[in-house]
Amino acid sequence: MNIILFGPPGAGKGTQAEFLVQSRGMVQLSTGDMLRAAIAAGTELGLQAKEIMDAGKLVSDDIMIGMIAERMEADDCRNGVILDGFPRTVAQAQALDAMFGDKQISLDSVIEIRVDENALFARIEKRAAETGGARSDDNAEVLAARLKVYHDNTAPVLPYYEDKGQLVTIDGMQSVEEVNKQIEACLNSVA
Ligand code: AMP
């Protein structure tokens, strides 16, 4: 099974993806984690990406599509993937469709975790405190920029999947356990 977890920064995509990794043995493909790994490794891509990420902007579609295409080649992706943080633009969604079509991979569900945006500032502050500020983009100023990008570039991906009948929306203001339960129920219904 291959799914997309969709939602603004701080919606809980990463947390929910980890639950699914445990319960279903799926592989979590977080493009944000991949970029942070590139930064930590000091690669050319990492150097370019850091500035963009610290400004709360998006890394180019070409780079991101290439990154996911390469990662999807690995054997561990055959058991199913959870895309976390990708696609973030309609162009990325179209490229993903083409890629899955070529590989004859099905996209089983797109799960939107919908949250009240006023709550996101508190959540991101909490994450920054819990991780000792590990993410340089976890602060109110950059979050405001990330939310603007979410509205301008990423939210238009929702109608793209809605039109295809693939979108399921879950209330992300519930407890993490309840959100997990509803995601599991949704995946059980498409399995
Ligand atoms: P995340 O960990 O998903 O919140 O991503 C952190 C940052 O990485 C984002 O604010 C973007 O700068 C960059 N990024 C992650 N995924 C993508 C993507 N699919 N397209 C463009 N930029 C991305």
Side-chain angles (χ1 to χ4, degrees):
M1 176 178 294
N2 300 287
I3 66 164
I4 294 172
L5 286 184
F6 201 92
K13 302 185 293 292
T15 304
Q16 295 300 331
E18 278 169 33
F19 285 137
L20 298 177
V21 168
Q22 295 301 325
S23 67
R24 293 176 181 257
M26 295 165 81
V27 172
Q28 175 189 8
L29 300 188
S30 158
T31 42
D33 283 352
M34 291 179 204
L35 290 168
R36 282 183 286 277
I39 292 172
T43 64
E44 181 71 29
L45 166 66
L47 288 174
Q48 286 174 23
K50 182 162 174 35
E51 212 174 306
I52 297 168
M53 291 166 78
D54 282 348
K57 297 190 176 148
L58 293 182
V59 174
S60 79
D61 285 337
D62 284 353
I63 289 177
M64 300 315 301
I65 291 162
M67 182 181 277
I68 281 291
E70 195 184 323
R71 182 66 184 84
M72 286 290 303
E73 291 294 327
D75 283 348
D76 63 343
C77 292
R78 295 209 184 125
N79 293 334
V81 298
I82 307 157
L83 292 168
D84 159 10
F86 185 96
R88 255 177 160 99
T89 63
V90 172
Q92 290 181 16
Q94 287 166 338
L96 186 69
D97 266 352
M99 190 193 311
F100 275 23
D102 282 352
K103 292 179 187 288
Q104 298 189 318
I105 295 174
S106 65
L107 175 61
D108 299 287
S109 193
V110 180
I111 300 178
E112 177 198 9
I113 306 177
R114 190 173 288 177
V115 286
D116 167 5
E117 288 192 8
N118 293 322
L120 293 178
F121 286 86
R123 283 194 188 189
I124 291 288
E125 263 171 34
K126 188 166 166 251
R127 181 163 77 185
E130 282 169 1
T131 59
R135 282 184 59 161
S136 50
D137 58 352
D138 270 353
N139 59 68
E141 196 188 334
V142 181
L143 176 61
R146 288 157 74 197
L147 282 176
K148 184 174 177 345
V149 167
Y150 179 78
H151 287 296
D152 292 350
N153 304 95
T154 306
V157 177
L158 288 171
Y160 177 83
Y161 288 117
E162 201 167 20
D163 289 349
K164 289 166 168 277
Q166 287 176 307
L167 186 69
V168 176
T169 299
I170 287 180
D171 175 8
M173 297 310 291
Q174 307 172 97
S175 67
V176 285
E177 293 79 13
E178 189 56 36
V179 174
N180 171 241
K181 239 166 83 184
Q182 293 188 4
I183 292 176
E184 288 285 0
C186 160
L187 298 188
N188 287 337
S189 74
V190 294

